[in-house]
Amino acid sequence: MKVTDIVFPQGFLWGAATAAFQVEGATDVDGRTDSIWDVFCRVPGNVVGGDCGEPAADHYRRFEQDVRMMAELGLRAYRFSIAWPRVRPDGGAVNQAGLDFYRRLIDTLLAHDIQPWPTLYHWDLPQKLEDAGGWAARDTAFRFADYATATAEALGDRVTNWTTLNEPWCAAFLGYAAGVHAPGRTDPAAAVAAVHHLLLGHGLAAQAIRTAAAFTRVGITLNMYPIIPADPASAADQDVARRLDGLQQRIFLDPLLRGEYPADVVADLEPFGFSRHVRAGDLELISGPLDMLGVNYYTEHHVSSRPGETGPSPWVGVGDHSFPRRDFPRTDMGWEVRPEGLTSVLLRLHAQYPRLPLYITENGAAFRDEIDGDGVQDVDRTAYLESHLRAAHDAIEMGVKLRGYFCWSLLDNFEWAEGYAKRFGIVHVDYDTQVRTPKMSAKWFARVARGNALVAVR
Ligand code: FCB
């Protein structure tokens, strides 16, 4: 199909995404206390370059300028996250100053006709709650619901679209099994407990939001990947793909949308004591109504049963496996560029859950940018976005209920364990001066968003 023929359905929502710890900075103002990421960053070796959440993109102080820029880019929605340690520092009493920041941000968005899409948890658990057991402890789910209640009561008159969690897979497995994300634990039993408690937290928070605010839509965001056996004829490779898909996707989708954990995954995780965390009534809460599902998509996983994994692995209970390299272009993260995987993820969700509205809540790429007198000519990133939007459009043509697309990210930001070395923004941030420069990709994306249709990259 010619690029100019690719028109999106009327009302398709165009936005960009960020997350609190990655952009805000101002980590010690207005009553905010440490999150697990503040503490994790202080440990030498945890984050490339010894970087931390300061000053990040200084979004806490520059949000008005950033919102004006979003409006200039034709964006109609902004997906951001709310920092739990601002709203309930240490997981304790409500902090009005923290809520006030998000009220100001939301009011500024609304004044520019940009829909606020807050996420309640993008990985910044108050450290005090981690000290009390973190997501491995059941009580954290109830503290999360308290935080959701306070936030929805304060902001529910201004926000319609709420997301509870961002990528619980990363929070549980990268944080508690591989130890490469905060809180840096390498305890598989804690990771599988965290899976259930994150989901329980989602269920309780969804209920709390609906109680506190009248007109709401509630969703959750998962990171989805097609998981492809290296040798489709090999039973061993197929089994690794089944286990990985179970741990990565079905362990979240099935309880949320079918009210049960997949039996094969429960069996795989029994050595780690998974099922003893699941109590009567939990699955009813977790499978409460869901108005939309957020999909974060970056790449595919190609998996083999041959050993190859070294170092701490998030893949609890999978056994020998590896991710053989294939000859595809890669981003600066080393991730294969596989737009067709996005179509396949969307088709799979649609086939299994045909009534559920879907949003791409993250998609984008890190590439090395050069800034000069002409700005940033990020052809690679622009081409990445174009190919993935084509893939998304293919899915829509095949009947998928895809309602919107948020690119990751609005701004260059703190890329977790990679620090500031990896740039995902469509807007360049000079971390010394905090000057913002929309890259070629931002200008291209603005034309797409305004026209609700693809335009040629060059
Ligand atoms: C996702 C995270 C997001 C960002 C992108 C690159 O897993 O949700 O914060 O780091 O990856």
Side-chain angles (χ1 to χ4, degrees), residues 4-174:
T4 44
D5 294 335
I6 299 182
V7 177
F8 283 80
Q10 213 186 351
F12 192 80
L13 190 64
W14 295 95
T18 64
F21 193 73
Q22 295 180 275
V23 294
E24 285 179 356
T27 51
D28 59 357
V29 306
D30 294 341
R32 184 188 182 281
T33 56
D34 276 351
S35 74
I36 52 176
W37 270 95
D38 297 271
V39 172
F40 185 77
C41 289
R42 286 184 201 127
V43 179
N46 276 352
V47 174
V48 171
D51 289 331
C52 68
E54 285 290 357
D58 199 28
H59 185 58
Y60 192 81
R61 297 191 178 87
R62 292 170 197 262
F63 73 89
E64 286 176 320
Q65 170 195 351
D66 290 339
V67 172
R68 277 199 301 279
M69 188 174 64
M70 291 177 219
E72 280 158 22
L73 292 175
L75 304 183
R76 304 307 306 274
Y78 177 43
R79 175 178 182 257
F80 58 97
S81 79
I82 294 179
W84 187 348
R86 289 194 197 282
V87 170
R88 296 191 86 125
D90 292 336
V94 175
N95 173 33
Q96 192 57 43
L99 285 169
D100 286 346
F101 166 68
Y102 294 104
R103 184 177 293 123
R104 288 196 302 275
L105 169 62
I106 290 166
D107 285 348
T108 310
L109 289 165
L110 294 173
H112 287 84
D113 209 12
I114 298 173
Q115 290 181 26
W117 279 60
T119 297
L120 287 174
Y121 189 67
H122 202 125
W123 308 350
D124 44 2
L125 180 70
Q127 177 64 33
K128 266 271 170 59
L129 295 182
E130 174 58 27
D131 297 341
W135 286 111
R138 186 174 171 92
D139 188 56
T140 300
F142 294 87
R143 300 289 74 75
F144 183 59
D146 294 343
Y147 153 59
T149 298
T151 309
E153 281 177 353
L155 306 174
D157 56 343
R158 295 158 159 85
V159 171
T160 307
N161 295 286
W162 294 90
T163 299
T164 55
L165 307 176
N166 176 70
E167 300 188 358
W169 181 87
C170 294
F173 291 108
L174 297 181

Side-chain angles (χ1 to χ4, degrees), residues 121-321:
Y121 189 67
H122 202 125
W123 308 350
D124 44 2
L125 180 70
Q127 177 64 33
K128 266 271 170 59
L129 295 182
E130 174 58 27
D131 297 341
W135 286 111
R138 186 174 171 92
D139 188 56
T140 300
F142 294 87
R143 300 289 74 75
F144 183 59
D146 294 343
Y147 153 59
T149 298
T151 309
E153 281 177 353
L155 306 174
D157 56 343
R158 295 158 159 85
V159 171
T160 307
N161 295 286
W162 294 90
T163 299
T164 55
L165 307 176
N166 176 70
E167 300 188 358
W169 181 87
C170 294
F173 291 108
L174 297 181
Y176 289 84
V180 296
H181 275 193
R185 284 163 67 175
T186 49
D187 176 356
V192 304
V195 167
H196 182 66
H197 299 144
L198 281 155
L199 283 168
L200 181 61
H202 156 82
L204 292 164
Q207 205 177 49
I209 294 165
R210 291 187 203 282
T211 307
F215 301 104
T216 53
R217 300 204 305 152
V218 184
I220 183 170
T221 278
L222 303 178
N223 45 329
M224 301 282 302
Y225 308 87
I227 296 184
I228 301 165
D231 176 0
S234 146
D237 285 10
Q238 278 174 26
D239 194 54
V240 166
R242 173 194 65 75
R243 285 171 182 255
L244 287 173
D245 182 60
L247 267 189
Q248 173 83 48
Q249 269 131 181
R250 289 183 292 118
I251 198 172
F252 298 105
L253 289 171
D254 285 19
L256 287 165
L257 295 159
R258 298 172 194 244
E260 60 189 14
Y261 282 110
D264 61 318
V265 180
V266 173
D268 290 346
L269 295 183
E270 237 8 67
F272 308 100
F274 179 65
S275 56
R276 74 184 166 83
H277 301 292
V278 185
R279 298 197 190 159
D282 286 2
L283 283 158
E284 285 70 23
L285 268 167
I286 294 170
S287 60
L290 205 58
D291 299 303
M292 63 224 176
L293 179 70
V295 175
N296 290 356
Y297 178 79
Y298 291 94
T299 191
E300 277 176 358
H301 286 326
H302 176 77
V303 303
S304 140
S305 54
R306 284 180 298 283
E309 192 78 45
T310 52
S313 169
W315 302 109
V316 172
V318 173
D320 283 344
H321 65 284

